[in-house]
Amino acid sequence: MKKIFYVIISFSVLAAIWQLAVTVSGVNRALFPGPAETVAAFGELLTTGLKGSSSALNLWQHIGFSMYRFIIGYGLAIICGVAGGIALGIFSKAFAFVNPIIQLIRPIAPVAWLPFIVLIFGIGDIPAMVIIFIAGFFPILLSSVSAVNSIDNTYIKVASNFELTKWENVTKVIFPASFPQIMNSLRLALGTSWIFLVSGEMVGSQSGLGFLIMDAKNAVRMDALMAVIITIGVIGFILDYIIRSIERKVSKNYGIR
């Protein structure tokens, strides 16, 4: 209850500062909407959708499309990143060969690949999913490799004494020991992937929160634009809370904390 209280107070103070900024600035409310105008835009988006939009979807439906793309793209990034990271962490010689290529590709912003992705996969859900995957994959992969390499060698020696199979060594020693660091990378990758979901949907999508941002901008509906921005922030906040809850639960089951 105390955490909820802090959240309510924090958001209330933010809303008050926002309203004060709108009032003091004297800027046209159509260009700099206040909390009241934004709440009204929320009601419109949730019920009828954006008036004059090229899409007949309401906000709930746009959220549904975005979450569908995000779950698939981010989920694949987790599976490939963790599995690949653990494998490369175990086989360090293979990582020595692959690492230069990874370091070459990793700094490139995922949206830079968007023209090629659209040419290969066309317009639709897949380009946004690929952007999300790229955004999440490399942080998870490299953190997983680092986590495996930083495991205390005592654990490996004990596992060898018990004559564990390779699979048992991975599931009972390597993964639990590296889990906290891997989980931190999942949280960081979640934020990055969520940001690039919006970027991916701004080009070539006819639905989703990124599309809705561009639609509101083109319609010069700053109140609706602000409402969508707040929606993106709230969903990101909820997703972070969910992954932290999963981290605590898995850590408890493994006896890590």
Side-chain angles (χ1 to χ4, degrees), residues 1-8:
M1 290 297 294
K2 187 178 288 188
K3 289 183 179 180
I4 296 175
F5 174 76
Y6 288 147
V7 170
I8 292 173

Side-chain angles (χ1 to χ4, degrees), residues 11-183:
F11 287 164
S12 298
V13 171
L14 179 61
I17 294 172
W18 177 11
Q19 181 60 57
L20 180 63
V22 172
T23 304
V24 172
S25 67
V27 178
N28 189 323
R29 294 293 180 95
L31 300 177
F32 186 18
E37 292 80 13
T38 303
V39 169
F42 263 120
E44 175 188 332
L45 292 172
L46 289 170
T47 53
T48 61
L50 182 65
K51 293 178 181 177
S53 171
S54 58
S55 171
L57 302 177
N58 60 35
L59 182 59
W60 291 115
Q61 292 168 314
H62 284 294
I63 291 173
F65 280 109
S66 289
M67 291 307 301
Y68 164 71
R69 294 164 185 148
F70 178 78
I71 289 170
I72 293 178
Y74 180 64
L76 289 174
I78 292 175
I79 294 169
C80 297
V82 173
I86 290 175
L88 290 174
I90 295 172
F91 301 103
S92 56
K93 289 185 178 179
F95 180 65
F97 284 105
V98 175
N99 189 42
I101 300 173
I102 294 174
Q103 297 304 331
L104 175 67
I105 299 174
R106 182 177 63 87
I108 302 172
V111 290
W113 299 103
L114 194 55
F116 295 103
I117 294 169
V118 172
L119 285 172
I120 295 169
F121 297 105
I123 295 173
D125 294 331
I126 295 181
M129 293 176 186
V130 174
I131 292 293
I132 296 164
F133 173 83
I134 295 172
F137 173 72
F138 290 108
I140 296 172
L141 177 75
L142 293 175
S143 292
S144 298
V145 173
S146 177
V148 173
N149 289 333
S150 62
I151 294 174
D152 191 332
N153 200 43
T154 303
Y155 296 146
I156 307 300
K157 290 180 179 178
V158 170
S160 178
N161 291 337
F162 280 99
E163 297 182 349
L164 298 179
T165 65
K166 289 183 179 180
W167 178 247
E168 287 175 332
N169 192 35
V170 170
T171 57
K172 296 183 178 181
V173 179
I174 294 176
F175 181 73
S178 59
F179 175 77
Q181 188 173 337
I182 290 175
M183 204 65 207

